[in-house]
């Protein structure tokens, strides 16, 4: 077993009393030797080698992860990629995706946050359904860390085995390796957390599948299952980081540590002068928020114009009061807004219903992301009734995503402009849009005809 341990603290001896002389000086006990500390001090990122047995590979990779930014940022994660087999789903995506997946999930515990590890056992899977026709093993490892650190890393309580009377907990991992037929090096297939209730179980007992080789391979979390399904469905599209981000960096408009410099995210213009996106995790959250606001803004632009065009005629037709606010000509023409006023005239039941709907939708989305934090796609809520997005290939999907983002960004600017224009001009925005009818019940006759035909 390989164990990482803290060096023993220096222990002081009790002073010996002597009258009238002062107490004797404390005598330090000899420091306990820590072989792993010596190993880690002189360690450097390794490369796959046929002389390394699986247990040694685990030792090297955990040490690499524990020293992730040595000698350079994400050097540890890069080492894990170098030790990954062709069947490992992470090899079919951009490295930045894998880095973000590890940094923004419970696997972030491995990136320098744990204290010790112990290799427990090695299981031969060569003659089981988990094998892909070659030599395959699964190494079980126990990781020890501060309990609060585990919670902060997002480790599920089902995996945490707390130690009574101590502020530490342990988690078990299964790390599966296959021996490459060409290089004869042991390469990583998958790594996953083992529930406390299943510690010490064999791979067959963990998977409980005996018929299919593919389904018998335990690929860990739902996120990794989804990732593998996506990788099998279509090849990954190679995307280069934004050149605009590099330009922004050269102009000191972007911090060197910004994730915008490495990501291939759609619509990356390298614009983050305030440095809000400090990590890949925050970047995903900000893109999620941007898409929500973009979609609301696109709806708002359409709703704004339609309201000012047909609301008053429809209100007159049904004998109701118009909710539009009066402009400079004392004509009800401007939509109710914070700047225009009039929000207080809207029924409270609408605000209650709207707040309830928005709250439920937002809670559902947050819970969905929490279930799959390492591999969620910002804005992907599953709404595509016509199946337009699924029909496209990888290039077409990125093009559609970019169109939505660009239109949404334009809509956010437009809504801000509408609001300021109506506040300071005291006139409806439709009065300056040449192809739209002006205010003053122009559409009343049309509305009467349409509604009248619907009532027949």
């Amino acid at each position: 077993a390989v164990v990482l341990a803290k060096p023993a603290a220096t222990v002081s001896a009790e002073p010996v009393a002597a009258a009238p002389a002062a107490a004797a000086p404390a005598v330090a006990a000899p420091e306990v030797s820590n072989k792993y500390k010596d190993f880690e001090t002189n360690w450097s990122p390794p490369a796959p080698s046929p002389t390394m047995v699986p247990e040694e590979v685990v030792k090297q990779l955990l040490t690499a992860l524990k020293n992730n930014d040595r000698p350079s940022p994400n050097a540890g994660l890069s080492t894990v990629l170098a030790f990954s087999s062709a069947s490992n789903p992470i090899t079919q995506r951009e490295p930045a995706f894998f880095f973000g997946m590890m940094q923004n999930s419970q696997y972030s515990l491995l990136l320098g946050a744990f204290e010790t590890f112990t290799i427990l056992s090695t299981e031969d899977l060569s003659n089981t359904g988990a094998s892909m026709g070659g030599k395959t093993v699964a190494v079980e490892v126990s990781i020890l860390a501060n309990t609060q650190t585990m919670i902060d890393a997002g480790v599920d309580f089902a995996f945490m085995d707390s130690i009574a009377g101590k502020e530490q907990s342990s988690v078990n991992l299964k790390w599966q390796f296959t021996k490459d037929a060409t290089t004869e090096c042991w390469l990583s297939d998958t790594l996953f957390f083992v529930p406390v209730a299943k510690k010490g179980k064999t791979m067959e007992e963990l998977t409980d599948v005996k018929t299919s080789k593919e389904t018998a391979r335990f690929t860990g979390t739902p996120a990794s299952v989804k990732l593998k399904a996506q990788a099998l469905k279509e090849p990954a599209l190679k995307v280069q980081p934004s050149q605009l981000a590099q330009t922004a960096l050269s102009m000191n408009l972007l911090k060197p540590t910004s994730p915008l410099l490495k990501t291939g995210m759609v619509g990356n213009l390298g614009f983050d002068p305030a440095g809000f996106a400090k990590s890949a995790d925050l970047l995903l959250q900000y893109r999620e928020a941007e898409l929500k606001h973009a979609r609301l803004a696109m709806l708002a632009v359409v709703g704004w114009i339609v309201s000012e065009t047909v609301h008053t005629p429809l209100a007159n037709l049904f004998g109701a009061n118009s909710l539009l606010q009066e402009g400079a000509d004392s004509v009800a023409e401007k939509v109710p807004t914070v700047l225009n006023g009039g929000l207080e005239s809207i029924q409270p039941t609408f605000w209650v219903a709207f707040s309830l709907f928005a709250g439920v939708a937002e809670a559902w989305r947050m819970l969905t992301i929490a279930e799959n934090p390492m591999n969620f796609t910002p804005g992907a809520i599953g709404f595509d009734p016509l199946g337009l997005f699924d029909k496209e290939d990888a290039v077409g999907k990125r093009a559609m995503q970019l169109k939505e983002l660009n239109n949404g960004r334009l809509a956010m600017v437009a809504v801000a402009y509408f609001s300021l224009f109506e506040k300071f001009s005291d006139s409806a925005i439709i009065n300056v849009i040449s192809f739209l009818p002006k205010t003053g019940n122009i559409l009343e006759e049309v509305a009467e005809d349409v509604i009248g035909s619907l009532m027949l």
Side-chain angles (χ1 to χ4, degrees):
V2 178
V3 181
L4 285 173
K6 292 182 177 179
T10 301
V11 181
S12 298
E14 292 292 334
V16 180
V27 179
E31 184 177 356
V32 178
S33 175
N34 187 328
K35 294 183 179 180
Y36 185 81
K37 182 180 179 182
D38 296 336
F39 165 80
E40 188 176 2
T41 300
N42 301 312
W43 175 88
S44 61
S49 170
T51 63
M52 295 173 62
V53 296
E55 293 82 3
E56 178 64 19
V57 175
V58 170
K59 174 183 174 181
Q60 294 286 349
L61 294 186
L62 284 177
T63 303
L65 292 173
K66 192 170 187 289
N67 299 272
N68 183 46
D69 293 326
R70 172 183 164 193
S72 60
N74 291 323
L77 290 170
S78 298
T79 301
V80 173
L81 279 177
F83 275 84
S84 297
S85 67
S87 64
N88 194 325
I90 65 173
T91 63
Q92 302 173 27
R93 301 295 291 263
E94 291 294 318
F97 173 85
F98 171 59
F99 297 163
M101 181 182 74
M102 293 292 289
Q103 293 163 349
N104 305 303
S105 69
Q106 60 187 3
Y107 290 92
S108 63
L109 175 69
L110 304 180
L111 303 180
F114 67 90
E115 298 173 6
T116 68
F117 73 86
T118 304
I119 297 178
L120 301 176
S121 63
T122 301
E123 179 187 358
D124 187 2
L125 305 177
S126 300
N127 297 318
T128 68
S131 174
M132 297 297 288
K135 294 182 179 180
T136 305
V137 299
V139 180
E140 187 161 1
V141 188
S142 177
I143 302 289
L144 186 67
N146 178 272
T147 301
Q148 187 59 50
T149 300
M150 283 194 182
I151 295 173
D152 293 342
V155 178
D156 194 290
F157 287 108
F159 303 122
M160 294 172 55
D161 192 358
S162 299
I163 300 174
K166 297 184 178 181
E167 296 181 352
Q168 292 177 313
S169 296
S170 65
V171 293
N172 278 23
L173 305 173
K174 279 278 192 180
W175 207 325
Q176 183 174 306
F177 295 88
T178 296
K179 195 168 189 178
D180 185 81
T182 303
T183 64
E184 296 189 348
C185 296
W186 288 98
L187 302 178
S188 170
D189 288 330
T190 184
L191 171 68
F192 59 88
F193 284 76
V194 178
V196 174
K198 294 187 177 182
K199 281 187 175 183
K201 298 288 186 181
T202 65
M203 186 67 77
E204 186 175 7
E205 290 171 323
L206 286 172
T207 59
D208 196 29
V209 178
K210 302 178 181 179
T211 55
S212 169
K213 286 187 178 182
E214 182 58 32
T215 56
R217 292 176 65 81
F218 192 100
T219 51
T221 64
S224 62
V225 174
K226 180 179 179 181
L227 172 59
K228 189 166 187 178
Q230 290 175 342
L232 292 174
K233 183 177 180 180
E234 59 183 25
L237 178 66
K238 298 295 183 180
V239 180
Q240 297 298 325
S242 172
Q243 291 299 319
L244 291 175
Q246 294 293 338
T247 303
L249 177 64
S250 65
M251 298 173 63
N252 294 322
L253 297 177
L254 201 62
K255 295 182 179 180
T257 56
S258 174
L260 291 175
L261 294 169
K262 298 180 180 179
T263 182
M265 183 178 284
V266 171
N268 177 15
L269 301 179
F271 183 79
D272 185 21
F276 289 126
K278 294 180 173 61
S279 65
D281 177 36
L282 282 176
L283 181 60
L284 283 177
Q285 296 295 338
Y286 280 129
R287 174 51 61 87
E288 174 78 12
E290 180 183 24
L291 283 170
K292 289 176 182 177
H293 285 82
R295 290 166 178 174
L296 286 174
M298 287 187 283
L299 290 173
V301 167
V302 175
W304 196 304
I305 294 175
V306 170
S307 296
E308 291 186 344
T309 304
V310 304
H311 177 74
T312 296
L314 291 177
N316 293 339
L317 182 64
F318 288 99
N321 295 325
S322 175
L323 295 177
L324 298 184
Q325 302 301 295
E326 291 185 356
D329 297 330
S330 298
V331 176
E333 58 182 6
K334 301 188 299 181
V335 298
T337 66
V338 173
L339 296 181
N340 289 342
L343 294 177
E344 69 281 354
S345 61
I346 299 176
Q347 292 294 330
T349 52
F350 168 80
W351 294 118
V352 172
F354 176 79
S355 299
L356 182 62
F357 172 78
V360 170
E362 185 67 11
W364 169 80
R365 180 58 180 162
M366 290 298 100
L367 289 173
T368 302
I369 292 175
E371 291 175 356
N372 195 13
M374 66 180 70
N375 187 34
F376 84 94
T377 301
I381 59 175
F383 182 78
D384 185 21
L386 300 179
L388 299 178
F389 188 74
D390 286 338
K391 293 177 182 178
E392 300 289 338
D393 58 12
V395 176
K397 287 178 179 178
R398 285 184 64 86
M400 291 185 70
Q401 290 172 334
L402 183 60
K403 290 176 182 177
E404 179 187 32
L405 196 59
N406 286 341
N407 282 282
R409 288 170 173 172
L410 180 61
M412 287 188 281
V413 174
V415 168
Y417 175 77
F418 288 2
S419 183
L420 293 173
F421 175 86
E422 295 195 350
K423 170 63 179 177
F424 293 106
S425 70
D426 203 18
S427 176
I429 191 67
I430 63 172
N431 290 334
V432 295
I433 301 178
S434 59
F435 60 85
L436 288 177
K438 307 301 181 283
T439 57
N441 302 343
I442 296 177
L443 296 184
E444 187 165 3
E445 293 183 2
V446 176
E448 288 179 350
D449 292 341
V450 172
I451 294 177
S453 64
L454 294 175
M455 292 181 176
L456 294 178

